Amino acid sequence: MDIINAIILGIIQGLTEFLPVSSSGHLEIGKAILGDQSVPEESLLFTVVLHFATALSTIVVFRKDILELIKGALQFKWNDDLQFVAKIVVSMIPAVIVGLFFEEQLEALFGGNILLVGSMLIITAALLFFADKAKDTNKKVSFTNAFVIGISQAIAMLPGISRSGATISTSVLLGNDKTKAARFSFLMVVPLIFGKIAKDILSGDLTYDSTHFTSLSIGFIAAFIAGLFACTWMIALVKKSKLTYFAVYCAIVGLIAILFSILNS
Protein backbone atom coordinates (compact mmCIF):
# COMPACT_ATOMS: atom_id res chain seq x y z
CA MET A 1 0.00 0.00 0.00
CA ASP A 2 1.41 3.38 -0.99
CA ILE A 3 1.43 6.49 1.22
CA ILE A 4 -1.46 8.21 -0.61
CA ASN A 5 -3.76 5.20 -0.10
CA ALA A 6 -2.68 4.97 3.54
CA ILE A 7 -3.57 8.63 4.10
CA ILE A 8 -6.93 8.30 2.36
CA LEU A 9 -7.88 5.15 4.28
CA GLY A 10 -6.71 6.70 7.54
CA ILE A 11 -8.81 9.83 7.02
CA ILE A 12 -11.86 7.77 6.03
CA GLN A 13 -11.50 5.59 9.13
CA GLY A 14 -10.97 8.59 11.41
CA LEU A 15 -13.95 10.52 10.09
CA THR A 16 -16.48 7.73 9.65
CA GLU A 17 -15.76 6.16 13.03
CA PHE A 18 -17.52 9.16 14.57
CA LEU A 19 -19.61 10.84 11.86
CA PRO A 20 -22.98 9.07 11.37
CA VAL A 21 -22.54 8.02 7.74
CA SER A 22 -21.45 4.33 8.04
CA SER A 23 -17.87 3.60 7.06
CA SER A 24 -18.68 -0.02 6.14
CA GLY A 25 -21.53 1.10 3.90
CA HIS A 26 -19.38 3.62 2.07
CA LEU A 27 -16.62 1.05 1.57
CA GLU A 28 -19.07 -1.43 0.02
CA ILE A 29 -20.46 1.26 -2.28
CA GLY A 30 -16.95 2.28 -3.29
CA LYS A 31 -16.05 -1.31 -4.14
CA ALA A 32 -19.18 -1.71 -6.25
CA ILE A 33 -18.64 1.53 -8.18
CA LEU A 34 -14.89 1.23 -8.69
CA GLY A 35 -14.68 -2.55 -8.75
CA ASP A 36 -12.95 -4.68 -6.13
CA GLN A 37 -9.68 -4.54 -8.02
CA SER A 38 -9.69 -0.74 -7.92
CA VAL A 39 -9.96 -0.51 -4.15
CA PRO A 40 -6.82 -1.55 -2.23
CA GLU A 41 -7.56 -4.44 0.10
CA GLU A 42 -6.67 -3.48 3.65
CA SER A 43 -4.55 -6.00 5.47
CA LEU A 44 -5.72 -7.13 8.90
CA LEU A 45 -2.72 -5.40 10.47
CA PHE A 46 -3.54 -2.10 8.76
CA THR A 47 -7.16 -2.35 9.90
CA VAL A 48 -6.06 -3.00 13.48
CA VAL A 49 -3.69 -0.02 13.37
CA LEU A 50 -6.44 2.31 12.11
CA HIS A 51 -8.90 1.12 14.76
CA PHE A 52 -6.27 1.63 17.44
CA ALA A 53 -5.74 5.19 16.16
CA THR A 54 -9.44 6.07 16.40
CA ALA A 55 -9.72 4.46 19.83
CA LEU A 56 -6.75 6.53 20.96
CA SER A 57 -8.32 9.72 19.58
CA THR A 58 -11.46 8.98 21.62
CA ILE A 59 -9.35 8.56 24.74
CA VAL A 60 -7.60 11.89 24.08
CA VAL A 61 -10.88 13.78 23.54
CA PHE A 62 -12.46 12.26 26.67
CA ARG A 63 -9.28 12.02 28.74
CA LYS A 64 -10.71 14.05 31.64
CA ASP A 65 -13.92 12.03 31.69
CA ILE A 66 -12.00 8.74 31.57
CA LEU A 67 -9.67 9.75 34.39
CA GLU A 68 -12.64 10.76 36.54
CA LEU A 69 -14.38 7.48 35.79
CA ILE A 70 -11.27 5.49 36.73
CA LYS A 71 -10.76 7.43 39.96
CA GLY A 72 -14.41 7.08 40.90
CA ALA A 73 -14.55 3.38 40.05
CA LEU A 74 -11.41 2.66 42.10
CA GLN A 75 -13.21 3.93 45.19
CA PHE A 76 -15.24 0.69 44.95
CA LYS A 77 -18.43 2.49 45.90
CA TRP A 78 -21.70 2.41 43.99
CA ASN A 79 -21.20 6.02 42.91
CA ASP A 80 -22.03 7.69 39.57
CA ASP A 81 -18.65 6.78 38.06
CA LEU A 82 -18.85 3.08 38.88
CA GLN A 83 -22.44 3.01 37.67
CA PHE A 84 -21.39 4.59 34.38
CA VAL A 85 -18.66 1.96 33.92
CA ALA A 86 -21.23 -0.75 34.69
CA LYS A 87 -23.57 0.72 32.06
CA ILE A 88 -20.75 0.57 29.52
CA VAL A 89 -20.29 -3.12 30.32
CA VAL A 90 -24.05 -3.72 29.95
CA SER A 91 -24.06 -1.93 26.59
CA MET A 92 -21.31 -4.22 25.30
CA ILE A 93 -23.25 -7.46 25.86
CA PRO A 94 -25.32 -7.50 22.60
CA ALA A 95 -22.33 -6.65 20.38
CA VAL A 96 -20.12 -9.24 22.09
CA ILE A 97 -22.78 -11.94 21.59
CA VAL A 98 -23.23 -11.05 17.92
CA GLY A 99 -19.46 -10.82 17.36
CA LEU A 100 -18.77 -14.20 18.96
CA PHE A 101 -21.62 -16.26 17.53
CA PHE A 102 -22.55 -14.59 14.23
CA GLU A 103 -19.21 -13.36 12.86
CA GLU A 104 -19.34 -15.56 9.74
CA GLN A 105 -22.93 -14.55 8.94
CA LEU A 106 -21.98 -10.89 9.27
CA GLU A 107 -18.93 -11.24 7.05
CA ALA A 108 -21.15 -12.81 4.38
CA LEU A 109 -23.12 -9.54 4.17
CA PHE A 110 -19.97 -7.61 3.19
CA GLY A 111 -19.88 -8.90 -0.36
CA GLY A 112 -21.07 -5.98 -2.44
CA ASN A 113 -24.77 -6.22 -1.49
CA ILE A 114 -25.45 -2.60 -2.43
CA LEU A 115 -29.23 -2.98 -2.13
CA LEU A 116 -28.79 -3.92 1.54
CA VAL A 117 -26.34 -1.04 2.10
CA GLY A 118 -28.70 1.47 0.50
CA SER A 119 -31.65 0.24 2.55
CA MET A 120 -29.66 0.42 5.77
CA LEU A 121 -28.49 3.95 4.93
CA ILE A 122 -32.15 4.96 4.57
CA ILE A 123 -32.80 3.54 8.05
CA THR A 124 -29.80 5.47 9.38
CA ALA A 125 -31.20 8.64 7.79
CA ALA A 126 -34.58 8.10 9.45
CA LEU A 127 -32.99 7.54 12.85
CA LEU A 128 -30.90 10.71 12.56
CA PHE A 129 -33.86 12.78 11.37
CA PHE A 130 -36.15 11.79 14.25
CA ALA A 131 -33.35 12.07 16.82
CA ASP A 132 -32.60 15.60 15.65
CA LYS A 133 -36.23 16.59 16.28
CA ALA A 134 -36.27 15.20 19.82
CA LYS A 135 -36.46 17.67 22.68
CA ASP A 136 -33.33 18.12 24.77
CA THR A 137 -33.44 16.92 28.37
CA ASN A 138 -31.15 16.50 31.36
CA LYS A 139 -31.85 12.77 31.66
CA LYS A 140 -28.91 10.40 32.12
CA VAL A 141 -28.56 7.01 30.45
CA SER A 142 -30.12 4.30 32.61
CA PHE A 143 -29.12 0.62 32.76
CA THR A 144 -32.13 -0.33 30.64
CA ASN A 145 -31.22 2.41 28.17
CA ALA A 146 -27.62 1.14 28.08
CA PHE A 147 -28.76 -2.34 27.04
CA VAL A 148 -31.13 -0.99 24.36
CA ILE A 149 -28.36 1.27 23.02
CA GLY A 150 -26.12 -1.80 23.03
CA ILE A 151 -28.64 -3.60 20.83
CA SER A 152 -28.44 -0.66 18.41
CA GLN A 153 -24.67 -0.98 18.41
CA ALA A 154 -24.95 -4.67 17.57
CA ILE A 155 -27.39 -3.95 14.73
CA ALA A 156 -24.96 -1.31 13.47
CA MET A 157 -22.58 -4.13 12.52
CA LEU A 158 -24.70 -4.36 9.36
CA PRO A 159 -23.17 -2.49 6.39
CA GLY A 160 -24.97 0.83 5.98
CA ILE A 161 -26.03 1.29 9.60
CA SER A 162 -23.87 3.94 11.27
CA ARG A 163 -22.68 2.87 14.72
CA SER A 164 -22.45 6.40 16.11
CA GLY A 165 -25.66 7.41 14.34
CA ALA A 166 -27.60 4.40 15.63
CA THR A 167 -26.37 4.60 19.23
CA ILE A 168 -26.70 8.39 19.59
CA SER A 169 -30.13 8.40 17.93
CA THR A 170 -31.39 5.53 20.07
CA SER A 171 -30.17 7.25 23.23
CA VAL A 172 -31.78 10.56 22.29
CA LEU A 173 -35.06 8.90 21.25
CA LEU A 174 -35.10 7.22 24.67
CA GLY A 175 -35.24 10.73 26.14
CA ASN A 176 -31.61 11.16 27.18
CA ASP A 177 -29.67 14.42 27.09
CA LYS A 178 -28.04 14.86 23.66
CA THR A 179 -24.57 15.69 24.99
CA LYS A 180 -24.70 12.77 27.44
CA ALA A 181 -25.91 10.53 24.59
CA ALA A 182 -22.91 11.43 22.42
CA ARG A 183 -20.52 10.98 25.35
CA PHE A 184 -21.91 7.55 26.15
CA SER A 185 -21.90 6.52 22.47
CA PHE A 186 -18.22 7.32 21.99
CA LEU A 187 -17.04 5.88 25.30
CA MET A 188 -19.00 2.64 24.96
CA VAL A 189 -17.15 1.64 21.79
CA VAL A 190 -13.61 2.01 23.19
CA PRO A 191 -13.60 -1.31 25.13
CA LEU A 192 -15.07 -3.08 22.09
CA ILE A 193 -12.36 -1.72 19.80
CA PHE A 194 -9.59 -2.82 22.14
CA GLY A 195 -11.32 -6.18 22.58
CA LYS A 196 -11.47 -6.66 18.81
CA ILE A 197 -7.81 -5.64 18.49
CA ALA A 198 -6.84 -8.17 21.19
CA LYS A 199 -8.86 -10.87 19.44
CA ASP A 200 -7.13 -10.16 16.11
CA ILE A 201 -3.69 -10.20 17.75
CA LEU A 202 -4.34 -13.45 19.61
CA SER A 203 -5.74 -15.08 16.48
CA GLY A 204 -2.22 -15.23 15.06
CA ASP A 205 -3.42 -13.94 11.69
CA LEU A 206 -1.48 -10.68 11.93
CA THR A 207 1.62 -10.49 9.78
CA TYR A 208 4.14 -7.67 9.89
CA ASP A 209 6.53 -6.67 7.14
CA SER A 210 9.03 -3.91 7.96
CA THR A 211 8.58 -2.53 4.45
CA HIS A 212 5.05 -1.53 5.44
CA PHE A 213 6.17 0.52 8.46
CA THR A 214 5.84 3.85 6.64
CA SER A 215 2.32 3.23 5.32
CA LEU A 216 1.20 1.91 8.71
CA SER A 217 2.60 4.97 10.49
CA ILE A 218 1.10 7.42 8.00
CA GLY A 219 -2.28 5.66 8.16
CA PHE A 220 -2.20 5.73 11.96
CA ILE A 221 -1.42 9.47 12.07
CA ALA A 222 -4.10 10.30 9.49
CA ALA A 223 -6.75 8.27 11.33
CA PHE A 224 -5.77 9.74 14.69
CA ILE A 225 -5.91 13.37 13.52
CA ALA A 226 -9.15 12.85 11.56
CA GLY A 227 -10.61 11.06 14.60
CA LEU A 228 -9.79 13.97 16.92
CA PHE A 229 -11.52 16.37 14.55
CA ALA A 230 -14.56 14.20 13.87
CA CYS A 231 -15.15 13.25 17.52
CA THR A 232 -15.01 16.87 18.72
CA TRP A 233 -17.11 18.09 15.80
CA MET A 234 -19.75 15.39 16.27
CA ILE A 235 -20.30 16.29 19.92
CA ALA A 236 -20.95 19.92 18.94
CA LEU A 237 -23.28 18.89 16.10
CA VAL A 238 -25.40 16.66 18.35
CA LYS A 239 -25.65 19.40 20.97
CA LYS A 240 -26.74 21.95 18.36
CA SER A 241 -29.21 19.54 16.70
CA LYS A 242 -27.44 19.42 13.35
CA LEU A 243 -27.95 15.73 12.60
CA THR A 244 -30.51 16.48 9.89
CA TYR A 245 -27.69 17.32 7.46
CA PHE A 246 -26.28 13.82 7.88
CA ALA A 247 -29.79 12.37 7.59
CA VAL A 248 -30.22 14.05 4.20
CA TYR A 249 -26.77 12.90 3.10
CA CYS A 250 -27.42 9.27 4.13
CA ALA A 251 -30.83 9.33 2.42
CA ILE A 252 -29.35 10.63 -0.85
CA VAL A 253 -26.47 8.13 -0.82
CA GLY A 254 -28.87 5.34 0.15
CA LEU A 255 -31.25 6.11 -2.72
CA ILE A 256 -28.33 6.30 -5.18
CA ALA A 257 -27.07 2.94 -3.91
CA ILE A 258 -30.50 1.34 -4.31
CA LEU A 259 -30.86 2.78 -7.83
CA PHE A 260 -27.36 1.62 -8.71
CA SER A 261 -28.18 -1.88 -7.47
CA ILE A 262 -31.43 -2.06 -9.44
CA LEU A 263 -29.84 -0.79 -12.67
CA ASN A 264 -26.98 -3.28 -12.38
CA SER A 265 -29.05 -6.28 -11.33
Side-chain angles (χ1 to χ4, degrees):
M1 183 180 297
D2 59 35
I3 293 177
I4 298 299
N5 285 336
I7 293 174
I8 292 173
L9 289 172
I11 292 174
I12 290 175
Q13 170 63 27
L15 291 177
T16 56
E17 181 67 39
F18 302 103
L19 298 182
V21 295
S22 177
S23 58
S24 60
H26 279 67
L27 181 59
E28 290 300 307
I29 292 173
K31 285 182 179 180
I33 294 175
L34 300 175
D36 286 344
Q37 300 302 319
S38 300
V39 179
E41 291 294 329
E42 296 177 77
S43 66
L44 180 58
L45 178 59
F46 191 74
T47 302
V48 168
V49 168
L50 294 189
H51 277 96
F52 178 70
T54 50
L56 189 59
S57 65
T58 307
I59 292 173
V60 171
V61 172
F62 290 101
R63 59 190 180 280
K64 293 181 180 178
D65 301 70
I66 293 173
L67 284 174
E68 289 179 3
L69 288 173
I70 293 174
K71 290 178 182 178
L74 290 177
Q75 293 178 10
F76 299 105
K77 296 179 181 179
W78 194 239
N79 52 29
D80 289 342
D81 294 320
L82 186 56
Q83 288 182 43
F84 189 91
V85 173
K87 291 171 187 175
I88 292 291
V89 174
V90 169
S91 74
M92 292 168 56
I93 295 174
V96 170
I97 292 174
V98 172
L100 288 176
F101 297 103
F102 301 98
E103 185 175 7
E104 291 184 4
Q105 290 85 341
L106 275 174
E107 289 179 353
L109 298 175
F110 288 81
N113 190 342
I114 303 305
L115 182 60
L116 172 64
V117 172
S119 301
M120 294 303 101
L121 279 170
I122 297 296
I123 293 176
T124 296
L127 282 172
L128 293 171
F129 177 79
F130 288 116
D132 213 31
K133 303 303 178 183
K135 294 181 179 180
D136 206 1
T137 68
N138 290 318
K139 180 184 174 185
K140 296 190 297 184
V141 177
S142 67
F143 278 95
T144 302
N145 289 166
F147 187 75
V148 174
I149 296 168
I151 293 175
S152 292
Q153 180 166 248
I155 294 174
M157 291 180 179
L158 293 170
I161 296 288
S162 163
R163 192 209 67 82
S164 61
T167 53
I168 293 174
S169 296
T170 300
S171 184
V172 170
L173 291 172
L174 289 171
N176 295 303
D177 175 80
K178 292 181 178 179
T179 302
K180 292 184 176 68
R183 176 175 177 261
F184 188 80
S185 172
F186 293 144
L187 289 176
M188 69 186 284
V189 75
V190 174
L192 283 177
I193 291 177
F194 281 114
K196 180 65 168 61
I197 290 173
K199 181 176 179 293
D200 291 334
I201 292 174
L202 294 174
S203 69
D205 294 331
L206 292 180
T207 56
Y208 174 71
D209 186 338
S210 59
T211 59
H212 296 155
F213 177 78
T214 301
S215 60
L216 288 172
S217 301
I218 294 296
F220 175 88
I221 294 171
F224 177 72
I225 294 175
L228 287 177
F229 168 76
C231 185
T232 305
W233 187 33
M234 189 60 188
I235 295 170
L237 288 173
V238 173
K239 189 175 182 179
K240 296 177 181 178
S241 298
K242 300 292 184 181
L243 295 179
T244 300
Y245 298 117
F246 291 103
V248 173
Y249 172 80
C250 287
I252 292 173
V253 176
L255 289 173
I256 292 174
I258 292 173
L259 182 61
F260 179 87
S261 176
I262 293 174
L263 293 177
N264 289 273
S265 61

